[in-house]
Amino acid sequence: MKWILTAAGARGADGCASKSGIPPMVLMERAALSVLRVIDEEQLPTDRVLVAAGTGNNGGDGIAVARLLYERGLKPLIFLYGDPEKMSAETREQMHILEQYSPVFTDRIPEDRTLIIDALFGTGLNRAVGGPAAEVIRSINASGAARLAVDIASGVSADTGSVPGEAVRADYTVTFSFGKRGHYFYPGASYTGRLTVAPIGITELHIQEKEKELKSFGESDLAGMFPRDESGNKGTFGKLLVIAGSRQICGAAYLASFSAAQTGIGMVRIFTEETNRAPLASSFPEALITTYREGAVGRGALEESMRWADAVLIGPGLGTDKTAEEILRCALAFGELPLVMDADALNLMAAHPDLWDFVRVPCVITPHAAEMSRISGTAVREIKSDPVGAARRFAAEHSVVCALKDARTVIAPPSGCAWLNTAGNSALAKAGSGDVLAGILAGIVTRDVKSGGRLTPERLARLTAAACFVHGKCGELLSEKTSEGTARTSDLALELHRFF
């Protein structure tokens, strides 16, 4: 698990580290050494280096890098931007140390550089870059040199990833101790290049208000999450009910239920419309199938199926007609099993907001931005401008875990830390991908229920973060075999054997 901080969170952690006894100049020196290490590891050209430095501490990091290059016998040029009278104390000290090397300064961005180190603004920038600064950044981007950003590409918002003005298009970014939101949210992620998070002595102990920050799930976090009992049977690993599909629409039901089965659960039952029986039985013979006829739910069969199950997934391809509404109402009224609500279940909740009053079990919802807009009454543009806030507010209001899906998915419990999924690529930007995620999530929840753990909102959020991570990695692995453009959604679940 890794932390992803806001600009304020990073400043707070930095200040706390200093108060604990680590001098700011030591942190700055470690940061500069980290940049130099990445230059070496990536074998970046150092014959004609330009360090573009501002007057804040980000500029001080850059000046320290320039000094380290001078110590190697190299002769980087230094472009200093900003009012020297407003230099931070640490940057002024770095300039004083550098003077012994008789540094060479320039008042423009030369066209002959092979490497430009961007240390202009860092994470403290909270405005659009325009005017002379924008001209500087345009010259950096047009130079043809490799570009390495110190902490964050200048012009990218560290809190949102937005780029309201000009921004450096970095090929590499070296940030310190923790990633920042702007490295991961788009469009900032596109300006980051290859990201290195370098330890410099600021640790989790120095983070001041953890509940305001984000966590990120990683592959090492999967270790031990899904043990298998060698003496177990199909009941040992859990039974999932998938309520999905509608008249002659069975693709979503198949993708969700098959993906759930691939997480290692023991049994899957699909509750679906009668016309889907034959295609589902043919494509997924391991599943149990219980059906209803359009216009006649068969409430007894649904309740019997729910008594059989350990968890429920409802929504993929379900439709939004009266029959679907009755099915959803019946499932909510049962009120005993952990619930994953996706797709049409959310569209029905939007059309019938009174249904939220019946959600009394551990519940995860998985809306994309448009579905989130419908269930929350918030414009898509507003949701996309602050997905963390949107997910947190809705989760708190309705006491659910909200997985707000996008290129970067935010997973928010009703209170406490939210998660940010950074795995995945555009191979997942296809019809049916959400059905696969819903199935993976429901399977993971089912496995956890059978392990006997208490399904708190925080634990449910962690399970959801795990599902989003695994789903994202499946997209990455599959696209290595084909491409991001040609990867088939129906093949995603075939990569799950790597994790379960």
Side-chain angles (χ1 to χ4, degrees):
M1 186 273 289
K2 296 180 180 179
W3 288 94
I4 298 173
L5 304 188
T6 59
R11 285 194 302 273
D14 192 21
C16 184
S18 297
K19 289 179 181 178
S20 71
I22 307 175
M25 286 294 285
V26 170
L27 295 173
M28 189 171 281
E29 198 70 13
R30 289 176 175 176
L33 287 166
S34 298
V35 172
L36 205 63
R37 184 166 57 252
V38 170
I39 290 173
D40 292 340
E41 290 173 352
E42 299 292 347
Q43 300 181 337
L44 300 181
T46 55
D47 53 331
R48 297 190 302 279
V49 180
L50 173 73
V51 176
T55 56
N57 278 357
N58 189 245
D61 294 338
I63 296 299
V65 172
R67 191 195 77 245
L68 293 173
L69 291 172
Y70 271 106
E71 289 176 0
R72 289 187 172 189
L74 302 169
K75 296 189 179 299
L77 282 176
I78 300 171
F79 174 84
L80 189 63
Y81 182 83
D83 184 355
E85 297 298 319
K86 296 181 179 179
M87 272 189 185
S88 69
E90 289 77 21
T91 301
R92 192 177 301 280
E93 182 65 20
Q94 289 289 354
M95 287 290 290
H96 176 70
I97 300 169
L98 179 66
E99 286 172 1
Q100 63 185 303
Y101 296 97
S102 301
V104 179
F105 292 86
T106 179
D107 60 359
R108 62 184 182 85
I109 306 297
E111 297 180 354
D112 66 341
R113 298 293 92 182
T114 54
L115 173 63
I116 295 178
I117 296 172
D118 162 32
L120 290 170
F121 299 123
T123 60
L125 187 73
N126 56 9
R127 65 186 187 281
V129 175
E135 288 297 327
V136 170
I137 289 177
R138 280 193 284 267
S139 296
I140 290 173
N141 288 337
S143 68
R147 296 176 291 276
L148 185 152
V150 177
D151 214 0
I152 196 166
S154 292
V156 174
S157 167
D159 287 342
T160 66
S162 64
V163 182
E166 293 291 335
V168 171
R169 289 190 174 274
D171 301 299
Y172 305 88
T173 295
V174 184
T175 196
F176 311 117
S177 298
F178 308 102
K180 316 304 184 295
R181 293 185 187 184
H183 295 136
Y184 302 102
F185 283 113
Y186 287 91
S190 299
Y191 289 74
T192 297
R194 185 178 298 177
L195 177 65
T196 299
V197 181
I200 63 170
I202 305 172
T203 71
E204 180 180 346
L205 295 174
H206 299 123
I207 300 174
Q208 297 297 285
E209 297 180 280
K210 289 186 172 68
E211 69 279 0
K212 294 183 178 180
E213 307 300 340
L214 298 175
K215 296 184 288 188
S216 176
F217 199 93
E219 194 149 0
S220 62
D221 297 308
L222 290 173
M225 278 191 75
F226 312 114
R228 290 194 69 81
D229 181 355
E230 294 300 324
S231 66
N233 55 57
K234 59 189 177 184
T236 303
F237 301 106
K239 298 176 287 185
L240 173 68
L241 175 63
V242 178
I243 304 173
S246 50
R247 184 170 178 79
Q248 296 180 336
I249 298 176
C250 66
Y254 166 75
L255 290 170
S257 56
F258 180 70
S259 298
Q262 289 289 93
T263 66
I265 60 176
M267 303 174 73
V268 177
R269 181 187 295 270
I270 308 172
F271 186 82
T272 191
E273 210 277 333
E274 174 62 29
T275 56
N276 296 330
R277 180 187 292 278
L280 286 172
S282 175
S283 60
F284 188 16
E286 298 91 341
L288 302 173
I289 301 174
T290 301
T291 64
Y292 65 91
R293 292 196 178 276
E294 186 175 9
V297 170
R299 192 181 184 96
L302 177 54
E303 290 179 348
E304 187 280 325
S305 296
M306 296 187 75
R307 283 191 291 271
W308 168 89
D310 297 304
V312 176
L313 163 61
I314 184 168
L318 185 64
T320 56
D321 60 11
K322 288 297 293 182
T323 302
E325 180 191 346
E326 186 178 348
I327 290 171
L328 179 59
R329 287 187 181 275
C330 180
L332 292 176
F334 188 81
E336 296 179 11
L337 302 174
L339 187 64
V340 176
M341 288 200 291
D342 182 49
D344 282 334
L346 299 176
N347 292 326
L348 284 165
M349 298 296 280
H352 307 281
D354 64 292
L355 290 174
W356 291 109
D357 295 334
F358 296 92
V359 179
R360 298 184 294 270
V361 294
C363 177
V364 186
I365 63 170
T366 57
H368 54 60
E371 290 165 342
M372 187 67 174
S373 178
R374 289 193 281 272
I375 62 176
S376 67
T378 306
V380 170
R381 186 190 326 183
E382 185 176 339
I383 291 168
K384 282 182 166 286
S385 69
D386 182 18
V388 178
R392 278 178 165 157
R393 286 189 294 273
F394 195 89
E397 182 179 353
H398 295 285
S399 298
V400 297
V401 172
C402 178
L404 177 53
K405 299 182 295 190
D406 207 342
R408 296 289 186 247
T409 293
V410 176
I411 302 103
S415 62
C417 290
W419 296 78
L420 181 68
N421 180 54
T422 62
N425 56 26
S426 68
L428 302 174
K430 295 181 179 178
S433 178
D435 303 319
V436 173
L437 172 60
I440 295 171
L441 172 55
I444 286 176
V445 170
T446 302
R447 291 281 304 269
D448 194 73
V449 167
K450 293 302 290 184
S451 73
R454 181 167 173 263
L455 204 57
T456 64
E458 293 75 20
R459 185 172 182 83
L460 192 55
R462 184 171 183 269
L463 296 174
T464 305
C468 292
F469 174 79
V470 168
H471 179 248
K473 295 302 290 186
C474 285
E476 294 175 13
L477 292 165
L478 182 59
S479 60
E480 288 174 3
K481 296 178 180 178
T482 54
S483 71
E484 292 184 28
T486 60
R488 289 177 43 178
T489 300
S490 55
D491 290 334
L492 283 172
L494 300 179
E495 301 298 324
L496 287 168
H497 70 279
R498 299 171 184 261
F499 304 100
F500 298 97

